[in-house]
Amino acid sequence: MDNRMDNESGAPLADAAGTITIGGDLTVNRLGFGAMRLTGEGIWGPPADRDEALRVLVRAIELGVNFIDTANSYGPYHSEELIAEALFPYPEGLVIATKGGLERAGPDQWHPNGDPDNLRRELEGSLRRLMLDRVDLYQLHRIDPEIPESEQLMALREFLDDGLARHVGLSEVTVEQLERARRVVPIASVQNRYNVEDQHWGWVLDRCESEGIAFLPWAPLSAGHISDDSAIARVAERRDATPMQVAIAWLLARSPVMLPIPGTSRVTHLEENVAAASLRLTQEDMEDLARAATESIPG
């Protein structure tokens, strides 16, 4: 492992993962934090342990994490409110990304609403909760199939023009959708599901890499459901690491535009995840993990 450590605790630091530049002017360490899990069960309501959630955010900054991904729908609202409570006034260099376009009716319920007026209301609400005049990165959570795509993209364009967002991104998009969007508005990031067990969106990642667009894989830790005899488990045992750490290290090795955002509601898990920034996989490791995509995840 790399030797980048927190001077006080001896914990590895996020900057061991290297850096990535988003939108041409926002350089962050290439291991971020996803704030979805700071909410209640089903990503609904406040966290079970509010004090621990606040400690997680503070500890993330101490460990060199300077990119936090959230959304107005996480809670809803609770994730953004916790970020502001824990970290405002924000440390220099911290980049906060949020998302809009999904409405909530209850735990584990998500409903697209890409109406431009709704997106503006959601963004303005996010700015109030985050105590910001402008969000660094605003992402459309989903392209709503019930609203003309062009109207949703024009809304993103207007957010840039009005100074409400510094950069904009998309989530769960195909290459074709990404290219259509780029003809309307500069796209700084794409957030699609991607992990060592599920590489369905690899072709989108490849396009992002060729165009210098940051790729934020969600569900990066599906390795939490692997079997003891899987490729990830074998590599983890060989490298004296956890399966989670191997899954993150694989993402970092997969592409220079990859910006993993593993999330948790516990400080101990956060420190474990950030330690993956220092894990360097060998060629043997990568060859073993190349077989992981064909291995099933037990239910």
Side-chain angles (χ1 to χ4, degrees), residues 5-240:
M5 300 286 181
D6 175 28
N7 290 334
E8 184 173 333
S9 68
L13 295 177
D15 63 1
T19 61
I20 184 172
T21 300
I22 302 169
D25 62 356
L26 293 175
T27 299
V28 298
N29 293 329
R30 206 161 59 92
L31 183 58
F33 176 74
M36 182 176 74
R37 297 293 174 186
L38 295 181
T39 60
E41 187 175 354
I43 320 303
W44 184 261
D49 188 338
R50 184 181 186 84
D51 290 341
E52 179 71 355
L54 295 171
R55 283 192 290 268
V56 166
L57 289 162
V58 171
R59 186 62 177 144
I61 301 303
E62 292 174 347
L63 293 174
V65 172
N66 56 6
F67 180 89
I68 296 177
D69 176 83
T70 185
N72 77 312
S73 58
Y74 296 165
Y77 313 142
H78 290 284
S79 176
E80 293 177 329
E81 291 169 348
L82 287 165
I83 290 168
E85 180 178 345
L87 302 177
F88 189 86
Y90 300 116
E92 183 177 357
L94 176 63
V95 172
I96 297 177
T98 193
K99 295 181 288 295
L102 283 181
E103 294 183 330
R104 306 296 307 283
D108 294 317
Q109 296 182 46
W110 309 82
H111 305 288
N113 184 349
D115 177 79
D117 291 336
N118 178 65
L119 294 178
R120 181 173 288 270
R121 285 192 300 270
E122 290 186 343
L123 175 52
E124 290 173 347
S126 292
L127 292 172
R128 287 193 299 272
R129 286 183 291 276
L130 292 167
M131 303 176 69
L132 293 170
D133 295 323
R134 178 180 68 172
V135 69
D136 291 317
L137 177 63
Y138 185 73
Q139 303 158 98
L140 181 61
H141 223 146
R142 295 290 185 278
I143 294 178
D144 185 348
E146 302 300 320
I147 303 292
E149 181 181 286
S150 59
E151 293 182 11
Q152 298 171 74
L153 297 174
M154 281 304 301
L156 298 181
R157 173 80 258 183
E158 290 173 4
F159 298 158
L160 294 181
D161 295 341
D162 294 345
L164 300 178
R166 186 170 184 170
H167 298 292
V168 298
L170 301 172
S171 182
E172 288 301 278
V173 291
T174 66
V175 168
E176 292 75 17
Q177 289 172 322
L178 173 60
E179 290 309 311
R180 288 198 299 270
R182 295 178 68 213
R183 291 194 285 269
V184 177
V185 59
I187 298 298
S189 68
V190 167
Q191 188 167 160
N192 281 18
R193 179 183 173 93
Y194 193 79
N195 55 65
V196 69
E197 299 277 11
D198 181 357
Q199 301 177 37
H200 173 75
W201 294 111
W203 48 306
V204 179
L205 169 60
D206 292 341
R207 179 60 61 90
C208 287
E209 183 173 329
S210 68
E211 300 297 331
I213 297 170
F215 187 92
L216 284 61
W218 65 271
L221 299 186
S222 72
H225 304 287
I226 63 172
S227 61
D228 291 339
D229 62 350
S230 70
I232 296 176
R234 292 192 297 272
V235 172
E237 182 176 6
R238 184 164 68 228
R239 301 304 306 279
D240 191 25

